[in-house]
Amino acid sequence: LRLVLPQGGEVEIRSDEHRAYPRALRRVEGLCVRGHAVISSRRARTPGNPLFPVNLLDLLVRHSGSNHKRETIAFSKRRQAAAERLAIFQVWRNYMKSFSERKQDATPAQRLSLREGKLTVKELLGGRLFPARVRLPERLMRYYRREVKTRQVANGRRHALRYAF
């Protein structure tokens, strides 16, 4: 929430009944929660459910990435790797994949008028982005520079390329 909301911004939260959410919301400084709707976890995960968008995202992440399936040896051993895979998934989902599989219509980015057409692999990989030209919040910049550590990894060495950027 600190990344997406301006200081003092208001937010409306929809969550399931997990007890950690109210505690986590209290810890975010300067957050004004306009309302917190709690939806039963037992409610059908259909488009009529207020949590449908996040339930669908969870389904797609599990379906698309072997590291998010239950009881697998493919789980991400480092936080850095998990974040990088989710960043790739985020670009695919919002800029390359049709909103509807049946209709093969516009992407979410096209629906929001962020792009005219679907992003192609050639466009995606065609040019290099430089961190000095594309501003990122410091927290995301730490991922870009590959500085995120995983506490459980004992040696936790940092991959420091000289000419990466």
Side-chain angles (χ1 to χ4, degrees):
L1 290 172
R2 286 185 195 122
L3 287 174
V4 296
L5 284 176
Q7 186 66 28
E10 290 186 358
V11 66
E12 185 176 322
I13 304 287
R14 294 180 192 148
S15 72
D16 61 16
E17 301 158 313
H18 200 288
R19 292 185 216 153
Y21 295 129
R23 284 195 313 265
L25 291 172
R26 285 192 297 269
R27 289 193 343 232
V28 180
E29 295 175 23
L31 178 66
C32 180
V33 178
R34 194 170 355 131
H36 184 180
V38 178
I39 291 91
S40 171
S41 301
R42 293 189 173 107
R43 188 169 170 180
R45 295 182 177 200
T46 61
N49 187 323
L51 295 178
F52 180 73
V54 76
N55 288 334
L56 177 61
L57 178 65
D58 181 59
L59 179 142
L60 287 172
V61 167
R62 288 178 185 275
H63 177 76
S64 302
S66 60
N67 62 328
H68 283 278
K69 291 184 172 88
R70 294 176 192 247
E71 299 180 18
T72 177
I73 61 168
F75 74 95
S76 298
K77 281 98 179 147
R78 296 176 183 258
R79 290 173 52 199
Q80 180 75 42
E84 288 169 352
R85 284 184 73 146
L86 282 175
I88 293 166
F89 174 83
Q90 183 179 10
V91 171
W92 171 76
R93 174 73 171 106
N94 291 319
Y95 294 92
M96 302 171 98
K97 182 188 179 311
S98 295
F99 188 81
S100 168
E101 286 295 321
R102 245 185 316 125
K103 297 176 187 173
Q104 287 298 306
D105 56 357
T107 66
Q110 288 174 286
R111 287 176 142 203
L112 293 171
S113 300
L114 298 175
R115 273 191 66 86
E116 286 188 24
K118 292 180 181 179
L119 183 66
T120 66
V121 173
K122 189 173 184 175
E123 288 175 303
L124 178 66
L125 302 176
R128 183 173 164 199
L129 298 178
F130 293 89
R133 295 185 200 155
V134 180
R135 302 280 302 148
L136 289 174
E138 182 54 35
R139 187 169 181 173
L140 292 179
M141 196 62 190
R142 287 182 52 230
Y143 282 96
Y144 185 88
R145 291 189 302 250
R146 306 201 84 200
E147 296 173 344
V148 177
K149 293 182 180 180
T150 303
R151 283 184 274 166
Q152 290 78 11
V153 177
N155 64 0
R157 290 176 293 174
R158 183 171 171 246
H159 187 59
L161 295 173
R162 279 191 186 176
Y163 302 108
F165 63 93

